[in-house]
Amino acid sequence: MELTDLTAVQLLDGYRTGEFSPVEATAAALERAARIQPEVNAFVRLLDEEALTRARESAGRWRRGEPAGPVDGVPVTVKDILLLRGHPTLRGSRTVPADGEWAEDAPSVARLREQGAVFIGKTTTPEYGWKGVTDSPLTGVTRNPHDPARTAGGSSGGSAAAVALGAGPLSLGTDGGGSVRIPAAFCGIFGLKPTYGRVPLYPPSAFGTLSHVGPMTRDAADAALLLDVIGRPDARDWSALPAAPGPFTAALDRGVHGLRVAYSPSLGGQVAVRPAVAAAVRRAVAGLADAGAYVEETDPDLADPVDAFHTLWFSGAARVVQGLPPDRRALLDPGLREICGAGARLSALDYLAAVDVRMDLGRRMGRFHERYDLLVTPTVPITAFEAGAEVPKGSGHRRWTGWTPFTYPFNLTQQPAATVPVGTGDAGLPIGLQLVAARHRDDLVLRAAHALYTAGLTRS
């Protein structure tokens, strides 16, 4: 097995035993990143010299038996929405000037730097992370590692493609409406949107409390490892949660025996799910039952909140570009420019009405989770479609939210939600299963996901 095929947990075991070093793992990840870049376009930039310097420092610490932390020497990529000290964060936009000091790390990046992680590159995003596919006027189209003619999903599409192809086992993504889960499902990896505030975010997102930072990894064990590092308070985020009561890695092996699982194949018939997707998710749900979970096919009490989500999302987008002069606005992605115009026409009363919908949805899901520990749905009702398009050809959808009805509701409610690869469908393209738990129960999501991995029910 090549170093680029190993998880972070496996790399760390190799460092401990001296089987290989952080320098070898980093060099392999950089070589893989450079090799895949022409075909999938996952990176804004690679940080070869800096990464190898950090890897050599890590190797020295491992030789002395003094690793800086639980991810020391692990190659990591960072979505180009999050600040990485010393490098521009352009957010997929030609409107962001590249010059400047760039002297600060985002909180999640800072925690990884403190623990010795090796940053190998910044990954692609649509402009300001506004949609569920990854293409932008700045960096072009990011493609699916399973079929470059298809989209990688978005908005963390570069991170998903990088992890799927072995260019670092850990990546930081952001998720405001599914932006970790959608590309992770399309690319066949694990992605977690933690409870809002579990991972601090700075600078704050213009999309407000819809936006989460989350792990994108090869499996649930790696995600738990990463969440233990990045899920720590940071004074720059006033909405950050206190530290978790214990490590998420410690909860992984508790399994699903006795957990109450609600399986909703189509949110009460509201979503048309492709047969291959429905079948793969149903097989995995049967596996949870075999592992001892109490599974009931039932639906949460919710209607599609897309109008409220659009109000919050479009007004946030309008806020992003509010200060741009007309000549700079002309540089924006046309779709982004369109939703910014719609957002600018919304009133404060429109916004507050959307908040009312959001709060009621949160109440409904809170009551739902008094009866059920977990909700299981497909992550996306389809598999990856043609690259370079916001919506599948012939779908009739106007915006990306039309084909992502399982993801954005749980940004509104701030619940933890993860996607697990559970099979392949049309043309061998990956299928994702979504696990959702009550707020602050990230441990349950990770436990159930890990149980699917250990039972051999996952397939990327």
Side-chain angles (χ1 to χ4, degrees):
M1 185 177 286
E2 296 184 32
L3 289 176
T4 50
D5 296 326
L6 300 182
T7 66
V9 171
Q10 291 169 326
L11 287 177
L12 290 162
D13 286 342
Y15 298 165
R16 288 188 193 96
T17 62
E19 183 180 354
F20 43 79
S21 77
V23 175
E24 293 170 290
T26 298
L30 287 167
E31 189 278 330
R32 178 65 59 87
R35 191 194 316 167
I36 68 175
Q37 179 63 7
E39 186 168 37
V40 301
N41 188 32
F43 290 94
V44 178
R45 68 186 60 83
L46 291 171
L47 313 176
D48 299 67
E49 291 186 14
E50 180 179 320
L52 288 169
T53 296
R54 286 185 61 82
R56 286 189 285 270
E57 293 168 351
S58 173
R61 291 190 293 270
W62 280 104
R63 282 195 300 271
R64 297 191 299 273
E66 301 172 350
V71 292
D72 197 347
V74 177
V76 177
T77 56
V78 179
K79 183 180 180 181
D80 201 37
I81 291 287
L82 299 169
L83 296 178
L84 176 66
R85 191 175 73 211
H87 301 281
T89 297
L90 302 180
R91 300 175 173 88
S93 182
R94 293 182 294 175
T95 68
V96 178
D99 56 352
E101 293 186 12
W102 302 104
E104 201 166 14
D105 283 328
S108 51
V109 174
R111 301 295 83 78
L112 283 165
R113 190 183 297 277
E114 291 163 2
Q115 303 296 318
V118 175
F119 303 112
I120 68 165
K122 297 295 292 288
T123 58
T124 52
T125 175
E127 195 162 24
Y128 295 105
W130 80 271
K131 59 183 174 179
V133 294
T134 300
D135 57 70
S136 76
L138 182 68
T139 58
V141 177
T142 297
R143 300 177 179 277
N144 194 292
H146 296 266
D147 180 355
R150 311 288 184 118
T151 179
S155 63
S156 306
S159 287
V163 171
L165 289 170
L170 305 180
S171 192
L172 295 177
T174 63
D175 189 316
S179 290
V180 160
R181 290 160 289 155
I182 296 163
F186 277 3
C187 294
I189 67 164
F190 183 80
L192 171 67
K193 177 186 75 67
T195 299
Y196 178 80
R198 171 52 54 212
V199 181
L201 178 60
Y202 177 86
S205 171
F207 299 110
T209 57
L210 294 172
S211 294
H212 306 226
V213 177
M216 304 183 73
T217 60
R218 304 292 284 273
D219 61 18
D222 271 10
L225 172 71
L226 182 51
L227 188 59
D228 281 340
V229 173
I230 64 177
R232 303 177 185 185
D234 189 289
R236 294 171 291 174
D237 183 352
W238 63 271
S239 63
L241 295 173
F248 292 103
T249 48
L252 285 176
D253 291 323
R254 294 177 187 168
V256 295
H257 186 80
L259 293 184
R260 302 161 298 167
V261 176
Y263 167 45
S264 178
S266 61
L267 295 181
Q270 296 182 72
V271 184
V273 180
R274 286 195 184 166
V277 174
V281 172
R282 187 174 290 276
R283 282 194 299 272
V285 170
L288 291 174
D290 290 341
Y294 298 110
V295 177
E296 179 182 347
E297 187 167 324
T298 189
D299 304 300
D301 176 23
L302 58 89
D304 187 357
V306 68
D307 291 337
F309 180 81
H310 280 168
T311 295
L312 300 173
W313 194 253
F314 294 178
S315 57
R319 176 64 175 156
V320 167
V321 305
Q322 186 177 23
L324 290 179
D327 62 324
R328 303 296 288 172
R329 285 186 182 236
L331 300 175
L332 293 171
D333 179 327
L336 175 58
R337 197 162 58 241
E338 183 178 325
I339 71 162
C340 289
R345 293 189 292 272
L346 294 165
S347 70
L349 290 177
D350 294 327
Y351 191 94
L352 291 172
V355 171
D356 286 343
V357 171
R358 182 181 193 179
M359 289 191 293
D360 185 62
L361 182 64
R363 176 188 65 82
R364 290 168 186 262
M365 289 307 302
R367 296 299 298 271
F368 182 81
H369 283 291
E370 289 180 334
R371 302 191 302 277
Y372 301 101
D373 298 300
L374 291 164
L375 169 66
V376 176
T377 73
T379 306
V380 189
I382 59 176
T383 52
F385 52 91
E386 61 271 21
E390 183 185 344
V391 301
K393 188 180 300 182
S395 67
H397 298 309
R398 180 78 180 94
R399 296 261 77 103
W400 61 272
T401 44
W403 53 269
T404 59
F406 292 113
T407 57
Y408 57 78
F410 305 110
N411 292 82
L412 290 166
T413 61
Q414 303 187 340
Q415 294 171 246
T419 183
V420 183
V422 292
T424 54
D426 305 336
L429 295 166
I431 290 167
L433 170 150
Q434 181 173 234
L435 294 159
V436 184
R439 292 174 72 241
H440 312 297
R441 294 312 308 267
D442 306 74
D443 60 314
L444 291 180
V445 170
L446 288 163
R447 275 173 58 186
H450 188 61
L452 288 170
Y453 279 97
T454 56
L457 296 168
T458 59
R459 188 179 0 155
S460 59

